[in-house]
Amino acid sequence: MQTEFATIVEAIPPLLRGEEIYTCYFAGEESEFVRFNAGAVRQAGAVTQRTLSVDLIEGRRHAAGSLTLSGDPAGDRDRLAHLIGELRAMRAQLAEDPYLHYATEVRSSARRVAAALPAAADATAAIRSLARHGDLVGIYAAGAMHAGFANSFGQRNWDSSENFNLDWSFFHAADKAVKGAYAGITWDDGELARKAEASAEQMTVLRQPSRRIPPGRYRVYLAPAALWELMSVLGWGGFGLRAHRTKTTPLLKMIEEGVRLHPDVSLAEHTAEGIAPGFQDAGFIRPPRVSLIEGGSYRDCLVSPRSAIEYGVATNGASAGETPSSLEMAAGTLPLDRVLGELGTGIYVGNLWYLNFSDRAACRTTGMTRFATFWVEGGVIQSPIDVMRFDETVYRMLGERLIGLTAERELILDPGTYFQRSRDSARLPGALIDDFTLTL
């Protein structure tokens, strides 16, 4: 798709008038999808799509729009000309934008991450074989995702990343299921089998009668997938400069009162290790790594170009939403095979669901246990528990009540496919926490 991107970009300059300049961003994918239900293939297909977004600028006035590219050069050029005409007419009606900010220093780049992917038929066969462990439901997505940037100053950036993402559940009954995920750039049948075996062991326990526990405070272990759900909520304003300056960040107490998390907690936006492109739609280059929390203390913010102008600081190439795309939490020292022993008597939480803030200013979140949550006694999983609601602050979970983080971390690729496959990822450990509050 890089050639198609270069071809359509060449068509833009002849369409400009006077002092007009442009920036444009390309997003594309060549993906295969297979949906499974009851261990059988229920839907299979391939998607090839390309979208070009153009920002037409003159002075401090600008207007942005997008079009889907068909792959037919002549037809795409015609529709591009139509789009630019519409943007020009729209811009004439708009006021000047005081926060308009785009890259003017030319910093071109290219990155291609090739994956070792199986043929779709082989992957499908391997996944269907997992159904011997239970009622398999899930979706497999694999292939290449592309991003490109170009502007009037001659900057050209390209990023292609191949990967796969299998998101599945073994369903038992009612609200009882074990959720699993396997994602990355190198497919390994052995690793898939290992993950499936682990899920199958949990299914064996899940078939036993549920234990009802009263609300209260319990020692819990949050598996990486559960911690990912928590970090996703924290990303809603937790790390962006705009939320900090407007005092809407859930981490306000860390900024204004010096509240700290546990010294083992370090978070970073690690673009160099993620699958998101190292540039954004205004042409700014993202640094390889931005430290967000270091040793439990707040370190730095994600700064979008517009926030950079509004607050008079340098941008670090953050998206407009200033949310992490390649979040990384530092590993701890607790070996994974000692988690149940250290948990002793408490709750193993495989995943969380329906999370939101219950008190944003206090960084208090609420949500439900759901997939593979078990009662543990003497370091041994005993039985599943009924679904419970938790209500707890991040300051307690990852601060004063954090016992430790696992030495092993898991790479999690966001399985979201809204409009296109997501390029968000995280590398997270599990977390052992004391006095975790269950309210219902």
Side-chain angles (χ1 to χ4, degrees), residues 163-227:
N163 58 70
F164 65 90
N165 198 341
L166 171 62
D167 186 51
W168 85 85
S169 296
F170 289 139
F171 177 70
H172 172 50
D175 57 6
K176 296 296 182 294
V178 175
K179 188 173 174 61
Y182 177 42
I185 61 173
T186 302
W187 178 273
D188 182 341
D189 284 339
E191 179 65 10
L192 175 62
R194 187 193 66 76
K195 285 178 171 287
E197 290 289 343
S199 296
E201 291 178 8
Q202 293 182 338
M203 274 293 288
T204 301
V205 181
L206 203 67
R207 293 188 179 98
Q208 300 176 14
S210 293
R211 181 186 185 117
R212 181 177 292 276
I213 62 173
R217 287 184 168 175
Y218 297 88
R219 176 175 286 206
V220 303
Y221 171 70
L222 299 183
L227 193 59

Side-chain angles (χ1 to χ4, degrees), residues 100-436:
L100 176 63
H101 192 28
Y102 49 85
T104 55
E105 178 188 0
V106 175
R107 298 180 62 185
S108 298
S109 63
R111 182 182 79 154
R112 295 173 183 81
V113 179
L117 301 177
D122 293 338
T124 300
I127 296 166
R128 288 193 63 194
S129 72
L130 305 183
R132 67 184 183 277
H133 297 300
D135 185 353
L136 174 72
V137 179
I139 184 169
Y140 169 77
M145 293 183 288
H146 310 284
F149 173 82
N151 64 16
S152 291
F153 308 103
Q155 180 169 324
R156 301 291 185 269
N157 304 96
W158 183 256
D159 185 283
S160 289
S161 176
E162 294 180 333
N163 58 70
F164 65 90
N165 198 341
L166 171 62
D167 186 51
W168 85 85
S169 296
F170 289 139
F171 177 70
H172 172 50
D175 57 6
K176 296 296 182 294
V178 175
K179 188 173 174 61
Y182 177 42
I185 61 173
T186 302
W187 178 273
D188 182 341
D189 284 339
E191 179 65 10
L192 175 62
R194 187 193 66 76
K195 285 178 171 287
E197 290 289 343
S199 296
E201 291 178 8
Q202 293 182 338
M203 274 293 288
T204 301
V205 181
L206 203 67
R207 293 188 179 98
Q208 300 176 14
S210 293
R211 181 186 185 117
R212 181 177 292 276
I213 62 173
R217 287 184 168 175
Y218 297 88
R219 176 175 286 206
V220 303
Y221 171 70
L222 299 183
L227 193 59
W228 163 242
E229 295 294 333
L230 189 64
M231 291 296 102
S232 297
V233 174
L234 193 59
W236 299 345
F239 306 112
L241 179 67
R242 186 180 308 114
H244 282 213
R245 294 299 176 89
T246 57
K247 302 187 186 303
T248 58
T249 174
L251 297 177
L252 189 61
K253 289 187 176 182
M254 296 187 75
I255 310 304
E256 298 204 332
E257 300 176 21
V259 174
R260 298 185 59 179
L261 301 180
H262 192 284
D264 287 353
V265 176
S266 293
L267 285 165
E269 170 74 331
H270 201 167
T271 301
E273 295 294 325
I275 62 170
F279 52 89
Q280 47 87 268
D281 58 5
F284 290 98
I285 303 300
R286 294 169 172 151
R289 188 175 187 278
V290 177
S291 179
L292 304 173
I293 293 176
E294 188 73 34
S297 297
Y298 207 94
R299 179 68 66 183
D300 208 347
C301 289
L302 298 176
V303 185
S304 70
R306 295 181 68 82
S307 288
I309 292 295
E310 185 171 3
Y311 301 109
V313 300
T315 179
N316 51 23
S319 63
E322 299 181 333
T323 55
S325 296
S326 307
L327 188 67
E328 176 190 76
M329 179 179 286
T333 58
L334 175 62
L336 189 60
D337 59 8
R338 285 178 44 200
V339 161
L340 291 179
E342 294 296 325
L343 179 57
T345 297
I347 304 170
Y348 179 101
V349 181
N351 211 323
L352 296 171
W353 205 249
Y354 301 126
L355 275 70
N356 208 331
F357 288 111
S358 58
D359 184 349
R360 188 181 183 88
C363 204
R364 180 180 292 278
T365 60
T366 187
M368 309 294 291
T369 65
R370 186 173 179 181
F371 298 105
T373 298
F374 303 107
W375 180 253
V376 178
E377 284 184 8
V380 179
I381 290 177
Q382 301 293 316
S383 64
I385 66 170
D386 286 345
V387 172
M388 298 288 292
R389 173 171 289 280
F390 77 90
D391 192 274
E392 190 57 277
T393 73
V394 169
Y395 298 125
R396 278 174 47 85
M397 288 186 280
L398 298 181
E400 60 193 82
R401 307 316 299 173
L402 178 67
I403 298 172
L405 301 169
T406 58
E408 296 83 355
R409 295 182 297 174
E410 186 169 331
L411 173 64
I412 299 171
L413 304 187
D414 182 358
T417 56
Y418 296 105
F419 303 108
Q420 63 183 67
R421 292 170 61 202
S422 172
R423 301 192 69 165
D424 289 348
S425 66
R427 190 179 296 275
L428 301 172
L432 188 62
I433 301 167
D434 209 5
D435 288 341
F436 185 85

